[in-house]
Amino acid sequence: MIKEISITVQPQDEKNQGLHKSLIIKELKKNKLPSNDLTLVFIKKSIDARHGQLKLHMRYKVYIGEKPGQNENKLPEWKKTDKRRSVIIVGSGPAGLFGALKLLEDGVQPIILERGAETSQRKIDIAKISTKDDVNEDSNYCFGEGGAGTFSDGKLYTRSNKRGDISKILKIFNYFGASEKILTDAHPHIGTDCLPGVVNAMRAKIIELGGQVIFNCKVTDLLLEDDEKAKKVIGVKTLDTLTGQEKEIKAQAVLLATGHSATDIYKMIAKLAPEALEAKTFAAGVRVEHPRSLIDAIQYHGKLDNQLGAAEYRLTTQVEGRGVYSFCMCPGGFVVPSSTGPNEIVVNGMSASGRNSKWSNAAIVVEIRPEDIPEKYQKKAKELGCPQIAGILFRSDLEKSAKDNGKGQAAPAQRLKDFLDNKKSNNLPASSYTAGLVSSNLNEWLPEHICSRLHQAFKDFNKNMKGYVCNDALMIAIETRTSTPVRISRDKESLECIGIKGLYPAGEGSGYSGGIVSSAMDGENSCAKIIESLK
């Protein structure tokens, strides 16, 4: 018999296995279940700081009269490819990498094409953004080996239970070098200092088994042929971003896993199959940074305990019919420049595995539905022949406005209290954002429907987290890449792109996921369908 049981203990008793077992036995007896011949397997830990009392909830899988099965922690069996079947994967983010591993379960050769650089070169390119105001449009925080998550924390928490086996994704990450803590933490993360090594190990395994990974290889178009009155993809056209060399690569299917910032891909789809594009809800706002000690004190009710680590928070409210919420909260983290072009400013957050910086930050963003896009962008999108990209045009203009109100990659910023008082900050607090800050009254250039909702939301948040609105709270603009404003529609059964056979949109860039784990599962699911189609 197997039962899952949760117990609650004080932080100082986290490692007290004797106490844990006695509490589990008590629960078993309460439910009139056998309490001898037990094997306990720890599953999950979460911190509960509500009501001013710190507690740990510990969840165990309890085997009564039996032992854990040998296959419970078994990894997939990846096979050497014979290269008779090959699939192009555009993008090396989680959807692309886990899609590649899924193909290797059946011996299908993945050919990963990544417009950016491998992690070692990508680190150099990222450093230049802050130090030299030099944004490499193909190698930055959003583009390059591992995708946007590689240098922005590596959060693995997801609610996408119906997409697939979350524990399988975590086990694979652990196999490739992530800490075992990700298997049991309630909100697991790998850390930007560790994730590049994990991604490198995944790449090495893919190549070892006969797959290919080609960097600085930007897909510029699809190779199509007519198939029973429908378009069918047979390969891609590529551009070497270092040499300018163009070439064609052919395969039996293409997984499109390009991430939320590859706007050129939407333009390509708009040209080939405009019916496949669909406008969707996205979000825009700011990154809010506090001293870590302040957030810890609020969340732990002044009872600071180094054992608990940097405190997290999650905030959400409704303002005038739209959601305003925190996203990608980075306890003990940094705010980083996440632009993908020289004429924009975009910010994001990240944390190292230790989450031990002096600051904590989170995106605070406003829900933007297609009908909220200002008329001028809708009109321009229609003139371009694709009304569905109005959100892309609006997002791009927000990022250009941030650039206009900053300096280089120094971002426009304002004390949170000054934002609510509608006045420019005379000075700004110390920040983790290394590219620099420029004092700016965000009320004067952020769209009114974003500003007004942020104003009310911050008042609501301060009721739930007293002290959140304070003189040391800093707003840094602009955060726009939480998700894409466009979805690339796909058939519900085959997962192929509407209008283009053999093309499989997947992950965040295609509008079907929102984070590392959900993207990884979506890549797996799409590649499972590809395998079916090749048999």
Side-chain angles (χ1 to χ4, degrees), residues 181-304:
K181 290 176 65 178
I182 68 169
L183 304 177
T184 54
D185 283 352
H187 291 166
H189 83 118
I190 297 177
T192 192
D193 51 335
C194 299
L195 193 49
V198 173
V199 169
N200 293 163
M202 295 175 79
R203 185 225 308 175
K205 174 60 72 173
I206 290 166
I207 293 173
E208 174 193 329
L209 295 173
Q212 295 183 47
V213 183
I214 307 173
F215 295 108
N216 307 301
C217 184
K218 183 177 181 179
V219 170
T220 57
D221 208 348
L222 301 179
L223 299 175
L224 301 173
E225 67 177 14
D226 291 332
D227 178 63
E228 298 177 357
K229 298 181 180 180
K231 298 170 185 171
K232 181 180 180 182
V233 67
I234 58 171
V236 298
K237 292 182 180 180
T238 67
L239 173 72
D240 186 311
T241 59
L242 299 181
T243 67
Q245 181 181 359
E246 296 178 325
K247 71 176 189 175
E248 297 181 353
I249 301 174
K250 294 188 177 182
Q252 287 144 306
V254 173
L255 180 75
L256 197 62
T258 50
H260 54 46
S261 294
T263 54
D264 53 313
I265 293 297
Y266 304 124
K267 293 174 183 175
M268 181 185 77
I269 298 296
K271 178 185 71 173
L272 300 174
E275 69 275 17
L277 295 182
E278 173 190 350
K280 62 178 278 292
T281 296
F282 68 112
V286 296
R287 197 48 61 171
V288 176
E289 183 174 64
H290 292 81
R292 173 190 159 185
S293 57
L294 188 149
I295 295 298
D296 289 354
I298 294 173
Q299 292 299 84
Y300 297 148
H301 308 283
K303 300 175 182 177
L304 301 183

Side-chain angles (χ1 to χ4, degrees), residues 1 3 5 20-40 62-66:
M1 183 186 302
K3 292 288 181 182
I5 291 178
H20 293 194
K21 187 171 184 178
S22 67
L23 291 172
I24 288 169
I25 290 173
K26 185 177 179 180
E27 285 295 313
L28 290 171
K29 289 180 176 178
K30 186 192 299 183
N31 291 283
K32 299 180 180 178
L33 293 170
S35 58
N36 57 337
D37 192 15
L38 305 179
T39 300
L40 310 182
V62 182
Y63 295 83
I64 306 170
E66 60 179 280

Side-chain angles (χ1 to χ4, degrees), residues 114-115 122 126 129 138-149 151 258-262 337-340 344 346 348 481:
E114 171 54 58
R115 70 192 294 168
R122 195 177 169 196
I126 284 171
I129 299 175
D138 295 305
S139 181
N140 44 60
Y141 275 101
C142 292
F143 298 143
E145 184 176 14
F151 293 98
T258 50
H260 54 46
S261 294
S338 199
S339 305
T340 52
E344 64 194 28
V346 183
N348 194 6
R481 307 285 179 93

Side-chain angles (χ1 to χ4, degrees), residues 207 276 309 379 383 389 428 430 448 517 530 535:
I207 293 173
K379 183 179 178 181
E383 290 173 354
I389 65 169
L428 298 171
E448 195 278 335
V517 173
I530 292 175
K535 289 184 176 179

